[in-house]
């Protein structure tokens, strides 16, 4: 996919990200490609919604994120609005979403520009609500103390006006999850949970998570939910600290919507989308979360080893009982011809050689001369 315009999301607090941004801008200049920094704000300024940010950036066809998974999600919410591809440069601590090492950023841009990269699509979520979401005055400052300005509440989609009983369609694209959580520390939120329009159960819990397979390694996992392959299509419902016997995750089909109705005796509940506060619900309000027709397009330079990344990020082979055995032998060897009966399977890619490209080394600070 030849790149005509590039949007850049940078984690400004990380020197490597700032340095890599210079590499990206220089590459754009050399190739006569427009480059715009997106999702940039100053203290006490309002941030734009995804569609407004995309239009402000001139509708780039490639979004590059320089940071960790949080930075990637900032770029993803914008890229999904017009189907732009997202290239995540890994500068974080966990890195389930980001793709390339900082030292390989120029190689990755060349691969994308010359149509030598693979585009992998991921399922996303969208939602309807009983009314447009709002953030009451004072609550934003309380919940986001010490953080930057919040995103605005999601806009109502113009092409989907309110219909009797169907609520309003919101301009939401969630790659990880939509979360309904308590506002008061000493009160759980009480919610009726519906699957495919039928009441499943009523929960009193700290939070209720509706996640994608991609988001199964995020908040849902921390709450005890299962890990799903990101290649799956599913909607994952996980309660957080429910005050009831049934505390299991439910994995639904992508076309089975999950409805969350705040019960009359509950307090207010906050709605977060991919970790960002986007609204507050009162008793009687509801949201419906379901698979979106929008897909997120991720740039991949080579086959993704999700389970290898899972093993490394969570240090699954660090148990003392496994240490005496050394490195495990491979189960399948991808560097030899694949037998015919395995040709239809998704097999692990060959190991990557270590990179010695010093492009992302930060110059040490020099002491001022006396």
């Amino acid at each position: 996919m030849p790149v005509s315009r590039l949007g850049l999301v940078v984690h400004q607090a990380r020197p490597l990200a700032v340095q890599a941004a210079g590499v990206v801008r220089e590459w754009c200049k050399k190739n006569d490609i427009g480059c715009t920094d997106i999702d940039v704000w100053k203290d006490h300024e309002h941030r734009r919604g995804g569609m407004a940010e995309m239009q402000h950036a001139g509708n780039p066809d490639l979004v590059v994120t320089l940071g960790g998974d949080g930075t990637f999600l900032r770029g993803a919410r914008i890229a999904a609005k017009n189907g732009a591809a997202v290239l995540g440069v890994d500068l974080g601590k966990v890195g389930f979403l980001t793709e390339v090492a900082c030292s390989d950023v120029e190689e990755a841009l060349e691969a994308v520009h010359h149509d030598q990269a693979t585009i992998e699509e991921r399922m996303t979520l969208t939602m309807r609500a009983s009314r447009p979401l709002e953030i009451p005055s004072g609550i934003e400052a309380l919940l986001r103390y010490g953080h930057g300005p919040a995103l605005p509440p999601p806009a109502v989609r113009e092409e989907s006006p309110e219909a009797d009983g169907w609520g309003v369609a919101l301009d939401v694209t969630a790659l990880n999850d939509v979360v309904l959580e308590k506002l008061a520390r000493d009160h759980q939120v009480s919610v009726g949970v519906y699957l495919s329009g039928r009441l499943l159960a009523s929960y009193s819990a700290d939070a209720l998570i509706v996640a994608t397979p991609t988001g199964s390694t995020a908040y849902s996992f921390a709450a005890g939910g299962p890990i799903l392959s990101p290649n799956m299509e599913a909607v994952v419902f996980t309660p957080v600290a429910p005050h009831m016997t049934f505390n299991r995750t439910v994995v639904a089909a992508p076309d089975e919507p999950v409805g969350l109705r705040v019960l009359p005796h509950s307090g207010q509940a906050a709605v977060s989308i991919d970790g960002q506060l986007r609204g507050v619900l009162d008793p009687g309000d509801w949201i419906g979360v379901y698979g979106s027709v929008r897909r997120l397009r991720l740039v991949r330079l080579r086959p993704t080893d999700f389970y290898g990344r899972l093993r490394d990020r969570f240090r699954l082979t660090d148990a003392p009982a496994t240490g005496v055995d050394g490195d495990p032998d491979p189960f399948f060897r991808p560097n030899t011809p694949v037998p015919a009966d395995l040709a239809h399977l998704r097999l692990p890619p060959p190991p990557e050689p270590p990179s010695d490209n010093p492009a992302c080394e930060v110059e040490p600070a020099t002491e001022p001369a006396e």
Side-chain angles (χ1 to χ4, degrees), residues 108-320:
L109 291 170
E110 288 288 337
V112 175
H113 192 47
H114 293 96
D115 215 13
Q116 296 171 348
T118 300
I119 302 297
E120 174 185 307
E121 293 191 348
R122 294 283 182 92
M123 173 186 171
T124 65
L125 298 173
T126 190
M127 58 187 289
R128 283 180 173 255
S130 53
R131 60 176 175 83
L133 295 184
E134 298 176 348
I135 302 177
S137 176
I139 288 183
E140 175 187 340
L142 176 65
L143 296 182
R144 296 193 58 82
Y145 178 77
H147 298 271
L151 290 168
V156 176
R157 297 204 303 265
E158 295 180 359
E159 70 274 17
S160 301
E162 181 177 3
D164 186 27
W166 297 101
V168 293
L170 301 178
D171 187 21
V172 166
T173 307
L175 177 61
N176 268 359
D177 49 43
V178 176
V179 179
L180 193 64
E181 54 194 325
K182 66 179 185 179
L183 275 176
R185 182 179 180 184
D186 59 341
H187 285 86
Q188 291 187 312
V189 62
S190 298
V191 178
V193 176
Y194 297 73
L195 281 172
S196 293
R198 297 288 185 179
L199 179 66
L200 171 70
S202 295
Y203 290 82
S204 180
D206 283 357
L208 302 153
I209 306 167
V210 183
T212 64
T214 298
S216 70
T217 54
Y219 191 9
S220 178
F221 171 78
I227 293 176
L228 276 65
S229 165
N231 301 302
M232 289 181 62
E233 299 281 312
V235 178
V236 185
F237 164 72
T238 303
V240 180
H243 193 70
M244 60 186 298
T245 303
F246 184 69
N247 60 356
R248 298 295 189 267
T249 292
V250 176
V251 181
D255 59 354
E256 295 177 335
V258 178
L260 306 174
R261 183 187 298 275
V262 183
L263 298 178
H265 60 277
S266 176
Q268 290 180 309
V271 179
S272 296
I273 301 168
D274 281 345
Q276 298 285 324
L277 172 69
R278 303 301 297 275
V280 173
L281 298 184
D282 294 321
D285 291 336
W286 57 262
I287 59 173
V289 184
Y290 50 95
S292 173
V293 296
R294 286 177 175 161
R295 318 281 291 180
L296 187 70
R297 303 172 66 236
L298 277 65
V299 175
R300 299 302 191 201
L301 302 184
R302 53 191 65 88
T304 302
D305 184 10
F306 170 73
Y307 297 105
R309 184 171 296 185
L310 180 71
R311 179 197 64 232
D312 294 342
R313 294 299 190 263
F314 290 150
R315 300 179 180 178
L316 300 183
T317 56
D318 279 358

Side-chain angles (χ1 to χ4, degrees), residues 26-33 110 113-114:
E26 185 62 29
W27 180 86
C28 288
K29 182 178 179 182
K30 181 173 64 176
N31 290 275
D32 195 26
I33 293 170
E110 288 288 337
H113 192 47
H114 293 96

